[in-house]
Each structure stands twice: as C-alpha cells, then as structure tokens.
Amino acid sequence: MKNVRELETYGAILIGCGIMAYTLMLASVDAPVWATIEFVMGTLFMVVGVWCVYLAGMEYDYQMEERRYRNKR
C-alpha cells in the first residue's frame, strides 16, 4: 500500500503543478512565448500526474486481487 500512497501523492503534486502552470499561462497573455511554454509544461504535468494516479489505481487493484487470491488458498 505504500507504493499506492506514494503514486497518489506524486500524482496530486504534479496535477497541482499543472494547474499552477495553466494559471501562469493565463496571467502572461502579453508574452506569447511564455504562454506557450507554460501551456506545454502545464499539459505535461497534467498528463504525468493523471498517469501516476492511474498507475496507483492499477497497483491498488493488483494488490487487492493478490490478497483475495491468497485468502482463497
């Protein structure tokens, strides 16, 4: 369960960083280069964060299935 909690924590942090990058992008509409960089970084953070949360869910399901299988023997 430690791996699941770590992945969820990393995912939440990365999603938060993505939201902050999108907020900075909206604040810097005067500089299109910075807005583009912040959009790309925000998208990257969000994708990696969601992927971490997805992997945490898969790991949780795997551990629960292993536990159920072990109890059936």
Side-chain angles (χ1 to χ4, degrees), residues 6 9 11-12 26 28 42 52 55-56 69 71 73:
E6 286 179 0
T9 303
L26 293 174
S28 64
C52 282
L55 287 178
Y69 180 71
N71 290 338
R73 286 194 248 167

Side-chain angles (χ1 to χ4, degrees), residues 8-62:
E8 286 176 344
T9 303
Y10 295 147
I13 290 170
L14 288 169
I15 290 171
C17 289
I19 291 170
M20 289 304 297
Y22 285 141
T23 305
L24 287 172
M25 178 191 67
L26 293 174
S28 64
V29 291
D30 299 345
V33 174
W34 282 109
T36 304
I37 291 170
E38 288 157 356
F39 174 75
V40 170
M41 286 179 56
T43 304
L44 182 67
F45 280 135
M46 294 293 274
V47 167
V48 174
V50 169
W51 183 250
C52 282
V53 172
Y54 172 75
L55 287 178
M58 295 296 286
E59 178 69 20
Y60 179 77
D61 288 344
Y62 176 75

